[in-house]
Amino acid sequence: MQPNTEASEFENLHSMEIENPQAPYKRLERDVSLGNGKGNELPSIELVFKEKAIPTWRNQLTIRAFVVSIVLGTLFTTLAMKQSFFNGLVNPINMYAGIVGFSCIKAWILIIDKCGILGPPFTRQENTLIQATVLGITGVTSSGGLASYIFGMSLSTAKQRDPVIDDKLNIKNPSVGWLLAFYLTTSFVGLFFIVPFRKVIIVDYKWLFPSGQSIGYLINSIQAPLRTKFARKQVTTFGKFFSFSFIWSCVTWLFTGGRNCGFSFFPLLGFKASDAGFYWDWAGTYIGVGMMCPYNTIISVLLGAILGYTYLLPEINKKNGEWYTEDAKAESFHGFGAYKSLVSTSMILGDSVYQILKLIIVGLHRKLQDKDTTTALPVADLHSTAGSSALEIDEQFRTQNFLNDKISTKYSFAVCAALILVSIIVIPIIFPQVKWYYVVIMYILCPLFAFSKIHAQGATDMTIVIASVGKIAIFIFGSWAGVSRGGIVVALAANGIIGNFVSSASDLMVDFKTGYLTVSSPKSILIGKFTGIAVGCVITPLIFRYFQVTYPDLGINFSTYPVPFAGPTRDVASFALEGPSVLPKYCLLFCYCAFALGIIINIIRDVLPKKWGTFIPIPLIMAVPITIGSYLAVDLCLGSLIALIWRFKNKSQADVFIPIVGSGLICGDGLWTLLVSVFFLINWKPPACVRFLKTQMEE
């Protein structure tokens, strides 16, 4: 079976719809038909596309796709930068950028297709390429830190902080020239580092990546030919829940016109639980993610929320004035914020250290045993028989296509090493305070942080790890350099270097997940991502320069664009200059214990028999709600409960439609998020406020 059609087989290179003479779906159709005699009516997604040829990776790279990507990427970059300069908001859910991006892409493409401007309709492979390219462009803005660590280096930010540290070594005013060089130097390293691990993460580990999976289902649903009963039902189901989520998000937004207003603070479990953070926020996104996540992930999140917010954090809070000063701000590293942030991050890092060591040991073992890891693929659950259902056959077909276009591991690591060498040379030129050996240590730490983020994002789509990683990087390198050697600039630059590495690596995995579901070539996705990042590295500094020229008071408190996150980010760097000795009492001890616990729990999971090991929680996932909030557990559990009841009533139907329903809920909520951002920028505010208050009982 050859999923890709060679270029010579295309009589017209511009036509993507001719039938594949190799008939790659023959076995798929035969095996599905053998299942229960219903043939095409069975829920095989790939069988729906059997009459559409799969273009080679070169034919997936079309000029029109890149043109649309650059236009939309520039638009989204401007919108994101404007909002971050205004209120500093950085959404913790990666899926919004992708889903909102695709929604706008699809609307734009429909208009173009109807007008007949660019020829034949876009294929699902082109849509995936557009998605990867647009996210590459906007990813430079989100990880580039213009509204946080970059502007935190500036003189204007330094003069507004207390204490004022404005000597020359601790100041670096942003300009187009060095921003362009910095982004081009640091934004591609993670991209090539993570490419060799795509099989392990997407095929072997089968990490979920809810945003990538949702976009994949969205593309398949819209592109599917409606020639079968199942195809029509699939599209109708997705559309129903997409519309429901969008309308529901609109209705709930109308009642959020004030502080702590809206249904987002619904005390589902009572006010006492709500005070501890266990409330329902009525977000379709989290319900959808909960429906799609495995039960082990849900249990891990719930257990982490219970232990964190009913025992650990309340007990630490009682030590206010004993372990840390009473006047310390809640999120400050001088007080409660240090425990909340550093302890959860330590558990995440412990989990990641174990996973990396396990990956290396297993890889070496296979190498020594001379096993061919390229063909022995776990394309189905161990308890299932290959080809026993349409869904498993779909998975086999996608796996073969995903691995068909090989990307050389040797060349990927060679390019990664070359880029690191360039960084070691260029970064000290841009920042004289950042010595070359600082850069070496940063890149040694990058893989650890990258796998932490990819694991968290793959399981729950949460990107909070990057914020925690940023604080850890700032703390390590700020305390190492010290104020006399420009420690603030060193710390903030470290945040950027590690953040750009981690973000590009994790975002590529999300795109690979989408490409896996849409039968797109990993090569075309990698090229699209590379092109998007390259374009983003150029347009992001230029758009920033526009804001600098148009708004001379950019970054000044109470101005039009105050850049509110720049000051707090610089404060963290200033705090780091004092070193670990200023952390609250027992904070480091808690961190060491959490790190060790992350390793020990994983060892127990692997030592126990599989039937018992699956009941052991995942340390990294347990740490996520401690940083985000316990409300996350409520939302995910509700989604999981819906999925559990559905599977109990009709398992075969649930297995097919749960991902579609969950994706619809995520996409509808994501599209509404874009509109809310637009409303915010044009000063449209919700008209009403709803709050849930305790009743006052008369004695």
Side-chain angles (χ1 to χ4, degrees), residues 25 45-50 52 54 102 121-130 216 219-220 223-224 397-398 514 516-520:
Y25 295 93
I45 296 175
E46 293 308 318
L47 191 57
V48 173
F49 290 94
K50 70 172 184 175
K52 289 193 174 185
I54 302 174
F102 179 77
F122 281 75
T123 64
R124 56 176 177 161
Q125 287 79 20
E126 285 180 292
N127 279 324
T128 304
L129 175 67
I130 293 172
I219 294 174
N220 285 337
Q223 293 284 350
F397 184 80
R398 289 166 177 165
T514 302
Y516 176 84
L517 292 171
T518 58
V519 197
S520 301

PDB file of all heavy atoms in Angstrom, residues 25 45-50 52 54 102 121-130 216 219-220 223-224 397-398 514 516-520:
ATOM      1  N   TYR A  25      -6.510   2.713  -0.982  1.00  0.00           N
ATOM      2  CA  TYR A  25      -7.565   2.405  -0.030  1.00  0.00           C
ATOM      3  C   TYR A  25      -8.181   1.022  -0.271  1.00  0.00           C
ATOM      4  O   TYR A  25      -9.160   0.669   0.374  1.00  0.00           O
ATOM      5  CB  TYR A  25      -8.673   3.456  -0.107  1.00  0.00           C
ATOM      6  CG  TYR A  25      -8.236   4.825   0.317  1.00  0.00           C
ATOM      7  CD1 TYR A  25      -7.780   5.742  -0.622  1.00  0.00           C
ATOM      8  CD2 TYR A  25      -8.265   5.201   1.648  1.00  0.00           C
ATOM      9  CE1 TYR A  25      -7.370   7.004  -0.240  1.00  0.00           C
ATOM     10  CE2 TYR A  25      -7.859   6.459   2.044  1.00  0.00           C
ATOM     11  CZ  TYR A  25      -7.407   7.359   1.092  1.00  0.00           C
ATOM     12  OH  TYR A  25      -6.995   8.605   1.474  1.00  0.00           O
ATOM     13  N   ILE A  45     -13.107   7.096   8.482  1.00  0.00           N
ATOM     14  CA  ILE A  45     -12.931   8.451   7.963  1.00  0.00           C
ATOM     15  C   ILE A  45     -12.132   8.421   6.666  1.00  0.00           C
ATOM     16  O   ILE A  45     -12.465   9.092   5.687  1.00  0.00           O
ATOM     17  CB  ILE A  45     -12.234   9.330   9.012  1.00  0.00           C
ATOM     18  CG1 ILE A  45     -13.131   9.466  10.243  1.00  0.00           C
ATOM     19  CG2 ILE A  45     -11.900  10.702   8.443  1.00  0.00           C
ATOM     20  CD1 ILE A  45     -12.488  10.212  11.389  1.00  0.00           C
ATOM     21  N   GLU A  46     -11.052   7.630   6.646  1.00  0.00           N
ATOM     22  CA  GLU A  46     -10.189   7.615   5.467  1.00  0.00           C
ATOM     23  C   GLU A  46     -10.883   7.008   4.255  1.00  0.00           C
ATOM     24  O   GLU A  46     -10.573   7.363   3.123  1.00  0.00           O
ATOM     25  CB  GLU A  46      -8.893   6.864   5.775  1.00  0.00           C
ATOM     26  CG  GLU A  46      -7.992   7.558   6.774  1.00  0.00           C
ATOM     27  CD  GLU A  46      -7.708   9.004   6.389  1.00  0.00           C
ATOM     28  OE1 GLU A  46      -7.477   9.275   5.192  1.00  0.00           O
ATOM     29  OE2 GLU A  46      -7.735   9.862   7.279  1.00  0.00           O
ATOM     30  N   LEU A  47     -11.827   6.109   4.476  1.00  0.00           N
ATOM     31  CA  LEU A  47     -12.542   5.516   3.353  1.00  0.00           C
ATOM     32  C   LEU A  47     -13.406   6.555   2.645  1.00  0.00           C
ATOM     33  O   LEU A  47     -13.649   6.462   1.444  1.00  0.00           O
ATOM     34  CB  LEU A  47     -13.400   4.349   3.840  1.00  0.00           C
ATOM     35  CG  LEU A  47     -14.000   3.450   2.744  1.00  0.00           C
ATOM     36  CD1 LEU A  47     -12.898   2.878   1.873  1.00  0.00           C
ATOM     37  CD2 LEU A  47     -14.809   2.337   3.376  1.00  0.00           C
ATOM     38  N   VAL A  48     -13.845   7.570   3.384  1.00  0.00           N
ATOM     39  CA  VAL A  48     -14.629   8.645   2.793  1.00  0.00           C
ATOM     40  C   VAL A  48     -13.819   9.380   1.732  1.00  0.00           C
ATOM     41  O   VAL A  48     -14.353   9.866   0.739  1.00  0.00           O
ATOM     42  CB  VAL A  48     -15.098   9.618   3.897  1.00  0.00           C
ATOM     43  CG1 VAL A  48     -15.764  10.846   3.286  1.00  0.00           C
ATOM     44  CG2 VAL A  48     -16.060   8.918   4.845  1.00  0.00           C
ATOM     45  N   PHE A  49     -12.489   9.446   1.958  1.00  0.00           N
ATOM     46  CA  PHE A  49     -11.617  10.187   1.043  1.00  0.00           C
ATOM     47  C   PHE A  49     -10.978   9.275  -0.017  1.00  0.00           C
ATOM     48  O   PHE A  49     -10.009   9.669  -0.652  1.00  0.00           O
ATOM     49  CB  PHE A  49     -10.496  10.872   1.833  1.00  0.00           C
ATOM     50  CG  PHE A  49     -10.951  12.015   2.682  1.00  0.00           C
ATOM     51  CD1 PHE A  49     -11.281  11.815   4.018  1.00  0.00           C
ATOM     52  CD2 PHE A  49     -11.059  13.294   2.172  1.00  0.00           C
ATOM     53  CE1 PHE A  49     -11.699  12.857   4.819  1.00  0.00           C
ATOM     54  CE2 PHE A  49     -11.474  14.343   2.958  1.00  0.00           C
ATOM     55  CZ  PHE A  49     -11.799  14.137   4.283  1.00  0.00           C
ATOM     56  N   LYS A  50     -11.513   8.074  -0.227  1.00  0.00           N
ATOM     57  CA  LYS A  50     -10.824   7.101  -1.081  1.00  0.00           C
ATOM     58  C   LYS A  50     -10.707   7.574  -2.533  1.00  0.00           C
ATOM     59  O   LYS A  50      -9.800   7.156  -3.253  1.00  0.00           O
ATOM     60  CB  LYS A  50     -11.539   5.757  -1.024  1.00  0.00           C
ATOM     61  CG  LYS A  50     -12.899   5.735  -1.711  1.00  0.00           C
ATOM     62  CD  LYS A  50     -13.443   4.316  -1.774  1.00  0.00           C
ATOM     63  CE  LYS A  50     -14.764   4.278  -2.543  1.00  0.00           C
ATOM     64  NZ  LYS A  50     -15.250   2.904  -2.728  1.00  0.00           N
ATOM     65  N   LYS A  52     -10.104  10.619  -3.459  1.00  0.00           N
ATOM     66  CA  LYS A  52      -9.202  11.767  -3.540  1.00  0.00           C
ATOM     67  C   LYS A  52      -7.763  11.288  -3.376  1.00  0.00           C
ATOM     68  O   LYS A  52      -7.422  10.714  -2.348  1.00  0.00           O
ATOM     69  CB  LYS A  52      -9.545  12.804  -2.467  1.00  0.00           C
ATOM     70  CG  LYS A  52     -10.851  13.539  -2.738  1.00  0.00           C
ATOM     71  CD  LYS A  52     -10.985  14.750  -1.836  1.00  0.00           C
ATOM     72  CE  LYS A  52     -12.216  15.574  -2.217  1.00  0.00           C
ATOM     73  NZ  LYS A  52     -12.317  16.818  -1.438  1.00  0.00           N
ATOM     74  N   ILE A  54      -3.832  11.275  -2.643  1.00  0.00           N
ATOM     75  CA  ILE A  54      -2.999  11.951  -1.651  1.00  0.00           C
ATOM     76  C   ILE A  54      -1.777  12.510  -2.366  1.00  0.00           C
ATOM     77  O   ILE A  54      -0.937  11.742  -2.859  1.00  0.00           O
ATOM     78  CB  ILE A  54      -2.568  10.978  -0.544  1.00  0.00           C
ATOM     79  CG1 ILE A  54      -3.796  10.370   0.116  1.00  0.00           C
ATOM     80  CG2 ILE A  54      -1.694  11.693   0.485  1.00  0.00           C
ATOM     81  CD1 ILE A  54      -3.470   9.293   1.124  1.00  0.00           C
ATOM     82  N   PHE A 102      -7.612  28.454  12.091  1.00  0.00           N
ATOM     83  CA  PHE A 102      -8.207  27.654  11.035  1.00  0.00           C
ATOM     84  C   PHE A 102      -9.611  28.140  10.691  1.00  0.00           C
ATOM     85  O   PHE A 102     -10.008  28.127   9.525  1.00  0.00           O
ATOM     86  CB  PHE A 102      -8.277  26.178  11.417  1.00  0.00           C
ATOM     87  CG  PHE A 102      -8.920  25.344  10.332  1.00  0.00           C
ATOM     88  CD1 PHE A 102      -8.202  25.006   9.213  1.00  0.00           C
ATOM     89  CD2 PHE A 102     -10.243  24.967  10.426  1.00  0.00           C
ATOM     90  CE1 PHE A 102      -8.796  24.271   8.194  1.00  0.00           C
ATOM     91  CE2 PHE A 102     -10.838  24.242   9.423  1.00  0.00           C
ATOM     92  CZ  PHE A 102     -10.110  23.884   8.302  1.00  0.00           C
ATOM     93  N   PRO A 121     -10.518  23.886  -5.408  1.00  0.00           N
ATOM     94  CA  PRO A 121     -10.627  24.066  -3.955  1.00  0.00           C
ATOM     95  C   PRO A 121      -9.367  23.575  -3.238  1.00  0.00           C
ATOM     96  O   PRO A 121      -8.667  22.680  -3.716  1.00  0.00           O
ATOM     97  CB  PRO A 121     -11.841  23.203  -3.590  1.00  0.00           C
ATOM     98  CG  PRO A 121     -12.611  23.060  -4.858  1.00  0.00           C
ATOM     99  CD  PRO A 121     -11.608  23.067  -5.959  1.00  0.00           C
ATOM    100  N   PHE A 122      -9.100  24.139  -2.083  1.00  0.00           N
ATOM    101  CA  PHE A 122      -7.965  23.722  -1.274  1.00  0.00           C
ATOM    102  C   PHE A 122      -8.184  22.293  -0.771  1.00  0.00           C
ATOM    103  O   PHE A 122      -9.283  21.930  -0.366  1.00  0.00           O
ATOM    104  CB  PHE A 122      -7.784  24.649  -0.071  1.00  0.00           C
ATOM    105  CG  PHE A 122      -7.108  25.955  -0.396  1.00  0.00           C
ATOM    106  CD1 PHE A 122      -7.776  26.957  -1.059  1.00  0.00           C
ATOM    107  CD2 PHE A 122      -5.797  26.178  -0.020  1.00  0.00           C
ATOM    108  CE1 PHE A 122      -7.171  28.153  -1.354  1.00  0.00           C
ATOM    109  CE2 PHE A 122      -5.173  27.376  -0.308  1.00  0.00           C
ATOM    110  CZ  PHE A 122      -5.854  28.370  -0.980  1.00  0.00           C
ATOM    111  N   THR A 123      -7.140  21.504  -0.808  1.00  0.00           N
ATOM    112  CA  THR A 123      -7.208  20.151  -0.268  1.00  0.00           C
ATOM    113  C   THR A 123      -6.989  20.197   1.243  1.00  0.00           C
ATOM    114  O   THR A 123      -6.556  21.209   1.797  1.00  0.00           O
ATOM    115  CB  THR A 123      -6.127  19.262  -0.897  1.00  0.00           C
ATOM    116  OG1 THR A 123      -4.835  19.772  -0.530  1.00  0.00           O
ATOM    117  CG2 THR A 123      -6.249  19.252  -2.417  1.00  0.00           C
ATOM    118  N   ARG A 124      -7.269  19.082   1.911  1.00  0.00           N
ATOM    119  CA  ARG A 124      -7.056  19.065   3.358  1.00  0.00           C
ATOM    120  C   ARG A 124      -5.571  19.117   3.687  1.00  0.00           C
ATOM    121  O   ARG A 124      -5.190  19.610   4.754  1.00  0.00           O
ATOM    122  CB  ARG A 124      -7.711  17.842   4.000  1.00  0.00           C
ATOM    123  CG  ARG A 124      -7.288  16.477   3.458  1.00  0.00           C
ATOM    124  CD  ARG A 124      -7.941  15.365   4.258  1.00  0.00           C
ATOM    125  NE  ARG A 124      -7.616  14.040   3.720  1.00  0.00           N
ATOM    126  CZ  ARG A 124      -7.743  12.918   4.397  1.00  0.00           C
ATOM    127  NH1 ARG A 124      -8.154  12.961   5.664  1.00  0.00           N
ATOM    128  NH2 ARG A 124      -7.458  11.758   3.849  1.00  0.00           N
ATOM    129  N   GLN A 125      -4.718  18.638   2.775  1.00  0.00           N
ATOM    130  CA  GLN A 125      -3.280  18.758   3.005  1.00  0.00           C
ATOM    131  C   GLN A 125      -2.833  20.217   2.918  1.00  0.00           C
ATOM    132  O   GLN A 125      -1.975  20.658   3.695  1.00  0.00           O
ATOM    133  CB  GLN A 125      -2.507  17.908   1.993  1.00  0.00           C
ATOM    134  CG  GLN A 125      -2.580  16.408   2.234  1.00  0.00           C
ATOM    135  CD  GLN A 125      -3.883  15.788   1.753  1.00  0.00           C
ATOM    136  OE1 GLN A 125      -4.582  16.361   0.924  1.00  0.00           O
ATOM    137  NE2 GLN A 125      -4.218  14.607   2.262  1.00  0.00           N
ATOM    138  N   GLU A 126      -3.410  20.974   1.992  1.00  0.00           N
ATOM    139  CA  GLU A 126      -3.091  22.396   1.899  1.00  0.00           C
ATOM    140  C   GLU A 126      -3.590  23.146   3.136  1.00  0.00           C
ATOM    141  O   GLU A 126      -2.920  24.051   3.638  1.00  0.00           O
ATOM    142  CB  GLU A 126      -3.702  22.998   0.633  1.00  0.00           C
ATOM    143  CG  GLU A 126      -2.980  22.638  -0.644  1.00  0.00           C
ATOM    144  CD  GLU A 126      -3.630  23.272  -1.858  1.00  0.00           C
ATOM    145  OE1 GLU A 126      -4.759  22.870  -2.195  1.00  0.00           O
ATOM    146  OE2 GLU A 126      -3.025  24.161  -2.476  1.00  0.00           O
ATOM    147  N   ASN A 127      -4.776  22.778   3.589  1.00  0.00           N
ATOM    148  CA  ASN A 127      -5.294  23.407   4.810  1.00  0.00           C
ATOM    149  C   ASN A 127      -4.375  23.149   5.996  1.00  0.00           C
ATOM    150  O   ASN A 127      -4.155  24.028   6.835  1.00  0.00           O
ATOM    151  CB  ASN A 127      -6.700  22.873   5.118  1.00  0.00           C
ATOM    152  CG  ASN A 127      -7.771  23.553   4.295  1.00  0.00           C
ATOM    153  OD1 ASN A 127      -7.684  24.738   4.012  1.00  0.00           O
ATOM    154  ND2 ASN A 127      -8.773  22.809   3.883  1.00  0.00           N
ATOM    155  N   THR A 128      -3.840  21.941   6.077  1.00  0.00           N
ATOM    156  CA  THR A 128      -2.907  21.617   7.160  1.00  0.00           C
ATOM    157  C   THR A 128      -1.629  22.431   7.026  1.00  0.00           C
ATOM    158  O   THR A 128      -1.079  22.909   8.028  1.00  0.00           O
ATOM    159  CB  THR A 128      -2.582  20.115   7.137  1.00  0.00           C
ATOM    160  OG1 THR A 128      -3.802  19.364   7.221  1.00  0.00           O
ATOM    161  CG2 THR A 128      -1.692  19.736   8.305  1.00  0.00           C
ATOM    162  N   LEU A 129      -1.144  22.589   5.797  1.00  0.00           N
ATOM    163  CA  LEU A 129       0.045  23.408   5.565  1.00  0.00           C
ATOM    164  C   LEU A 129      -0.201  24.856   5.979  1.00  0.00           C
ATOM    165  O   LEU A 129       0.647  25.485   6.627  1.00  0.00           O
ATOM    166  CB  LEU A 129       0.438  23.341   4.083  1.00  0.00           C
ATOM    167  CG  LEU A 129       1.593  24.250   3.657  1.00  0.00           C
ATOM    168  CD1 LEU A 129       2.896  23.790   4.290  1.00  0.00           C
ATOM    169  CD2 LEU A 129       1.715  24.290   2.132  1.00  0.00           C
ATOM    170  N   ILE A 130      -1.356  25.381   5.621  1.00  0.00           N
ATOM    171  CA  ILE A 130      -1.705  26.754   6.006  1.00  0.00           C
ATOM    172  C   ILE A 130      -1.727  26.878   7.517  1.00  0.00           C
ATOM    173  O   ILE A 130      -1.212  27.839   8.102  1.00  0.00           O
ATOM    174  CB  ILE A 130      -3.059  27.155   5.399  1.00  0.00           C
ATOM    175  CG1 ILE A 130      -2.952  27.252   3.879  1.00  0.00           C
ATOM    176  CG2 ILE A 130      -3.542  28.482   5.975  1.00  0.00           C
ATOM    177  CD1 ILE A 130      -4.279  27.463   3.177  1.00  0.00           C
ATOM    178  N   GLY A 216      -7.537  18.696  13.284  1.00  0.00           N
ATOM    179  CA  GLY A 216      -7.574  17.609  12.313  1.00  0.00           C
ATOM    180  C   GLY A 216      -8.992  17.148  12.018  1.00  0.00           C
ATOM    181  O   GLY A 216      -9.368  16.960  10.855  1.00  0.00           O
ATOM    182  N   ILE A 219     -10.761  19.856   9.937  1.00  0.00           N
ATOM    183  CA  ILE A 219     -10.405  19.816   8.518  1.00  0.00           C
ATOM    184  C   ILE A 219     -11.066  18.627   7.830  1.00  0.00           C
ATOM    185  O   ILE A 219     -11.653  18.768   6.746  1.00  0.00           O
ATOM    186  CB  ILE A 219      -8.871  19.750   8.361  1.00  0.00           C
ATOM    187  CG1 ILE A 219      -8.227  21.048   8.860  1.00  0.00           C
ATOM    188  CG2 ILE A 219      -8.490  19.506   6.904  1.00  0.00           C
ATOM    189  CD1 ILE A 219      -6.712  21.015   8.877  1.00  0.00           C
ATOM    190  N   ASN A 220     -10.995  17.463   8.442  1.00  0.00           N
ATOM    191  CA  ASN A 220     -11.602  16.276   7.834  1.00  0.00           C
ATOM    192  C   ASN A 220     -13.105  16.423   7.684  1.00  0.00           C
ATOM    193  O   ASN A 220     -13.686  15.999   6.674  1.00  0.00           O
ATOM    194  CB  ASN A 220     -11.289  15.035   8.674  1.00  0.00           C
ATOM    195  CG  ASN A 220      -9.859  14.560   8.509  1.00  0.00           C
ATOM    196  OD1 ASN A 220      -9.209  14.851   7.512  1.00  0.00           O
ATOM    197  ND2 ASN A 220      -9.349  13.831   9.490  1.00  0.00           N
ATOM    198  N   GLN A 223     -13.824  18.964   4.825  1.00  0.00           N
ATOM    199  CA  GLN A 223     -13.344  18.547   3.512  1.00  0.00           C
ATOM    200  C   GLN A 223     -13.972  17.241   3.034  1.00  0.00           C
ATOM    201  O   GLN A 223     -13.881  16.914   1.851  1.00  0.00           O
ATOM    202  CB  GLN A 223     -11.819  18.369   3.563  1.00  0.00           C
ATOM    203  CG  GLN A 223     -11.043  19.654   3.773  1.00  0.00           C
ATOM    204  CD  GLN A 223     -10.970  20.495   2.510  1.00  0.00           C
ATOM    205  OE1 GLN A 223     -11.332  20.045   1.438  1.00  0.00           O
ATOM    206  NE2 GLN A 223     -10.509  21.728   2.647  1.00  0.00           N
ATOM    207  N   ALA A 224     -14.600  16.489   3.943  1.00  0.00           N
ATOM    208  CA  ALA A 224     -15.095  15.158   3.571  1.00  0.00           C
ATOM    209  C   ALA A 224     -16.202  15.239   2.524  1.00  0.00           C
ATOM    210  O   ALA A 224     -17.143  16.025   2.665  1.00  0.00           O
ATOM    211  CB  ALA A 224     -15.613  14.434   4.808  1.00  0.00           C
ATOM    212  N   PHE A 397      -3.463   3.100   8.452  1.00  0.00           N
ATOM    213  CA  PHE A 397      -3.249   3.835   7.203  1.00  0.00           C
ATOM    214  C   PHE A 397      -2.539   5.160   7.475  1.00  0.00           C
ATOM    215  O   PHE A 397      -1.595   5.534   6.771  1.00  0.00           O
ATOM    216  CB  PHE A 397      -4.594   4.077   6.517  1.00  0.00           C
ATOM    217  CG  PHE A 397      -4.477   4.750   5.179  1.00  0.00           C
ATOM    218  CD1 PHE A 397      -4.145   4.014   4.055  1.00  0.00           C
ATOM    219  CD2 PHE A 397      -4.691   6.109   5.050  1.00  0.00           C
ATOM    220  CE1 PHE A 397      -4.027   4.630   2.823  1.00  0.00           C
ATOM    221  CE2 PHE A 397      -4.572   6.728   3.825  1.00  0.00           C
ATOM    222  CZ  PHE A 397      -4.244   5.991   2.704  1.00  0.00           C
ATOM    223  N   ARG A 398      -2.980   5.880   8.497  1.00  0.00           N
ATOM    224  CA  ARG A 398      -2.368   7.168   8.822  1.00  0.00           C
ATOM    225  C   ARG A 398      -0.923   6.986   9.300  1.00  0.00           C
ATOM    226  O   ARG A 398      -0.053   7.791   8.981  1.00  0.00           O
ATOM    227  CB  ARG A 398      -3.195   7.868   9.901  1.00  0.00           C
ATOM    228  CG  ARG A 398      -4.545   8.369   9.404  1.00  0.00           C
ATOM    229  CD  ARG A 398      -5.460   8.734  10.543  1.00  0.00           C
ATOM    230  NE  ARG A 398      -6.724   9.279  10.062  1.00  0.00           N
ATOM    231  CZ  ARG A 398      -7.807   9.422  10.815  1.00  0.00           C
ATOM    232  NH1 ARG A 398      -7.771   9.027  12.086  1.00  0.00           N
ATOM    233  NH2 ARG A 398      -8.907   9.935  10.312  1.00  0.00           N
ATOM    234  N   THR A 514      -2.030  17.152  13.824  1.00  0.00           N
ATOM    235  CA  THR A 514      -3.018  17.525  12.817  1.00  0.00           C
ATOM    236  C   THR A 514      -2.707  16.845  11.493  1.00  0.00           C
ATOM    237  O   THR A 514      -3.596  16.297  10.832  1.00  0.00           O
ATOM    238  CB  THR A 514      -3.038  19.051  12.631  1.00  0.00           C
ATOM    239  OG1 THR A 514      -3.333  19.686  13.870  1.00  0.00           O
ATOM    240  CG2 THR A 514      -4.090  19.455  11.610  1.00  0.00           C
ATOM    241  N   TYR A 516      -1.055  14.121  10.989  1.00  0.00           N
ATOM    242  CA  TYR A 516      -1.295  12.679  11.114  1.00  0.00           C
ATOM    243  C   TYR A 516      -2.756  12.352  10.796  1.00  0.00           C
ATOM    244  O   TYR A 516      -3.041  11.393  10.082  1.00  0.00           O
ATOM    245  CB  TYR A 516      -0.941  12.236  12.532  1.00  0.00           C
ATOM    246  CG  TYR A 516      -1.226  10.789  12.836  1.00  0.00           C
ATOM    247  CD1 TYR A 516      -0.311   9.788  12.495  1.00  0.00           C
ATOM    248  CD2 TYR A 516      -2.403  10.409  13.478  1.00  0.00           C
ATOM    249  CE1 TYR A 516      -0.572   8.451  12.780  1.00  0.00           C
ATOM    250  CE2 TYR A 516      -2.673   9.083  13.764  1.00  0.00           C
ATOM    251  CZ  TYR A 516      -1.751   8.104  13.417  1.00  0.00           C
ATOM    252  OH  TYR A 516      -2.023   6.788  13.691  1.00  0.00           O
ATOM    253  N   LEU A 517      -3.673  13.164  11.295  1.00  0.00           N
ATOM    254  CA  LEU A 517      -5.104  12.900  11.099  1.00  0.00           C
ATOM    255  C   LEU A 517      -5.584  13.283   9.705  1.00  0.00           C
ATOM    256  O   LEU A 517      -6.584  12.741   9.222  1.00  0.00           O
ATOM    257  CB  LEU A 517      -5.919  13.656  12.150  1.00  0.00           C
ATOM    258  CG  LEU A 517      -5.751  13.171  13.595  1.00  0.00           C
ATOM    259  CD1 LEU A 517      -6.431  14.124  14.560  1.00  0.00           C
ATOM    260  CD2 LEU A 517      -6.305  11.764  13.767  1.00  0.00           C
ATOM    261  N   THR A 518      -4.916  14.225   9.058  1.00  0.00           N
ATOM    262  CA  THR A 518      -5.339  14.664   7.724  1.00  0.00           C
ATOM    263  C   THR A 518      -4.495  14.032   6.621  1.00  0.00           C
ATOM    264  O   THR A 518      -4.590  14.434   5.462  1.00  0.00           O
ATOM    265  CB  THR A 518      -5.249  16.191   7.608  1.00  0.00           C
ATOM    266  OG1 THR A 518      -3.899  16.605   7.866  1.00  0.00           O
ATOM    267  CG2 THR A 518      -6.182  16.872   8.591  1.00  0.00           C
ATOM    268  N   VAL A 519      -3.678  13.040   6.962  1.00  0.00           N
ATOM    269  CA  VAL A 519      -2.826  12.325   6.013  1.00  0.00           C
ATOM    270  C   VAL A 519      -1.951  13.307   5.235  1.00  0.00           C
ATOM    271  O   VAL A 519      -1.888  13.270   4.007  1.00  0.00           O
ATOM    272  CB  VAL A 519      -3.663  11.438   5.064  1.00  0.00           C
ATOM    273  CG1 VAL A 519      -2.780  10.393   4.388  1.00  0.00           C
ATOM    274  CG2 VAL A 519      -4.770  10.739   5.796  1.00  0.00           C
ATOM    275  N   SER A 520      -1.317  14.215   5.974  1.00  0.00           N
ATOM    276  CA  SER A 520      -0.406  15.186   5.373  1.00  0.00           C
ATOM    277  C   SER A 520       1.030  14.752   5.632  1.00  0.00           C
ATOM    278  O   SER A 520       1.328  14.097   6.626  1.00  0.00           O
ATOM    279  CB  SER A 520      -0.644  16.577   5.961  1.00  0.00           C
ATOM    280  OG  SER A 520      -1.967  17.008   5.739  1.00  0.00           O
TER     281      SER A 520
END
